[in-house]
Amino acid sequence: MRDGKKERATEPLRHVFGPVGSGRLGVSLGLDLLGARICSFDCLYCEAGVTEALTTARKPYVPARRLLDELAAWKAAGHAPPDVVTLGGLGEPCLNSELGAVIAGAKELFPDLPVAVLTNSSLMADPDVRLELAQADIVLPSMDTLVPAEYHRLNRPHAAVGLTAIRQGLLDFRAAYDGKIFLEVLLLAGINDSVENSELLQGFCRELAPDRVDVVTLSRPGAHPGCQAASAEALARFRAALGGFAQDAAAPRRAEGHGPAALAGPQLEALAGRIAASVARRPQTEAGLAAGLDVPAAHVRLALAALVRAKAVRERREGDAVFYSGLAG
Ligand code: SF4
């Protein structure tokens, strides 16, 4: 009879990322709560790629038990502890209906570490989500624009997600939450770098009183061609408008949607190079690549998304499986 525990311990970790350096959080061990590009937004700038499932439905997309087993396996492997455990993923982590159990379980496993959650804020109007999130030590919500037309053009939300509800949900959360709020504003040139937006965000920050604000822009091309990084002038203007809340330090970029442990540029490029070389030899699936290269599937997914966007590999569906091959394949 096979030893189930031993078998689990040797399985690759599909949902634990890193740890990697995060400008906002230090050395961050990430957890992907979605396992796929499942999001309530389909942002123009999303470097995770186009949202595959645009939804507001909360479900155990990856069950808490599975996530916590992986975290426990990572801990048992004797790695040096990170500075923080960060919950995110290739989409919106609050869509995972077992978010509360994941936060509680992560805190139990790492009682000395803060637990952080990245979110696009879209579910903040839901009191259950606010209650679950309140267990975290740090919440990093996004709010790119308070101008409705810009919001629709930039974040391309599910029809059920209204901007006014997000704004109020964040304020309600702040009122009941003792932990830290690190707000992120991502600017794109000609889309949400308007004076109107900076004025609205300024008033909002005054009400929200976040612990810090990071004004950032694209570091690499986003999911949709044509979106351009904001200028240094626009970044400086927004940082000045958001006053004492904004950070002057080089701000981190959202590199894979809300994935907490995004691969840094050179690491991602290196992995993409290995994948391109491997699929040039024979077509492979994401899972096959993760096993063959011995890297987390989420990292492979990110690198594949970049390669597909760059038209450097071919993507072909066969039944339920998606295969990647070289351009000559
Ligand atoms: S950037 Fe974040 S919120 Fe926007 S589509 Fe990507 S994962 Fe979703």
Side-chain angles (χ1 to χ4, degrees):
M1 194 172 148
R2 284 158 56 160
D3 181 329
K5 271 189 188 149
K6 263 191 194 153
E7 192 180 345
R8 257 202 312 278
T10 58
E11 282 173 8
L13 302 181
R14 293 181 55 84
H15 302 286
V16 175
F17 295 71
V20 298
S22 154
R24 285 184 287 180
L25 296 169
V27 178
S28 166
L29 181 68
L31 202 54
D32 170 11
L33 273 66
L34 284 315
R37 297 197 294 267
I38 300 166
C39 198
S40 44
F41 286 175
D42 181 18
C43 300
L44 279 182
Y45 54 74
C46 185
E47 293 175 1
V50 176
T51 296
E52 290 166 336
L54 184 67
T55 181
T56 55
R58 299 193 73 210
K59 293 183 190 172
Y61 293 102
V62 185
R65 190 65 268 151
R66 182 162 168 196
L67 292 165
L68 295 172
D69 279 351
E70 283 201 22
L71 260 191
W74 187 89
K75 184 182 173 186
H79 300 289
D83 295 330
V84 59
V85 177
T86 308
L87 278 44
L90 293 174
E92 171 48 42
C94 296
L95 286 171
N96 190 319
S97 54
E98 297 186 351
L99 172 72
V102 178
I103 297 172
K107 288 174 79 76
E108 216 176 294
L109 275 167
F110 296 96
D112 299 330
L113 297 183
V115 171
V117 183
L118 297 156
T119 175
N120 66 12
S121 312
S122 63
L123 302 188
M124 280 291 184
D126 181 337
D128 290 341
V129 171
R130 295 201 300 269
L131 261 183
E132 291 168 40
L133 272 179
Q135 297 177 71
D137 301 289
I138 308 168
V139 174
L140 299 100
S142 291
M143 172 55 87
D144 298 328
T145 177
L146 281 163
V147 179
E150 294 180 359
Y151 165 64
H152 286 282
R153 198 171 158 210
L154 181 70
N155 299 120
R156 310 183 352 146
H158 184 282
V161 185
L163 189 54
T164 310
I166 293 178
R167 185 186 193 288
Q168 189 55 49
L170 276 167
L171 294 176
D172 291 345
F173 180 66
R174 171 79 289 177
Y177 179 56
D178 292 334
K180 291 195 183 316
I181 294 182
F182 294 175
L183 190 74
E184 181 180 277
V185 178
L186 189 144
L187 299 179
L188 287 189
I191 295 187
N192 65 329
D193 57 353
S194 63
V195 172
E196 184 184 6
N197 188 28
S198 66
E199 289 175 354
L200 288 171
L201 284 174
Q202 187 175 38
F204 176 64
C205 283
R206 205 170 285 134
E207 282 184 75
L208 184 71
D211 295 272
R212 61 183 279 183
V213 179
D214 292 293
V215 179
V216 303
T217 189
L218 274 185
S219 56
R220 293 192 288 277
H224 297 268
C227 57
Q228 297 209 341
S231 65
E233 179 277 323
L235 290 168
R237 182 160 44 81
F238 271 72
R239 287 172 184 157
L242 301 183
F245 300 116
Q247 304 295 307
D248 287 335
R253 273 68 173 182
R254 177 163 31 202
E256 53 168 79
H258 290 90
L263 283 182
Q267 291 170 293
L268 181 62
E269 280 163 28
L271 178 58
R274 290 172 67 199
I275 290 174
S278 183
V279 301
R281 289 193 291 275
R282 64 187 170 85
Q284 290 165 77
T285 61
E286 175 192 300
L289 283 161
L293 299 174
D294 194 24
V295 292
H299 287 187
V300 171
R301 201 172 306 138
L302 258 187
L304 281 170
L307 286 166
V308 169
R309 274 203 307 280
K311 297 189 171 44
V313 300
R314 237 191 273 284
E315 192 178 30
R316 192 181 77 245
R317 180 171 287 280
E318 281 185 20
D320 286 342
V322 178
F323 284 86
Y324 298 87
S325 59
L327 296 183

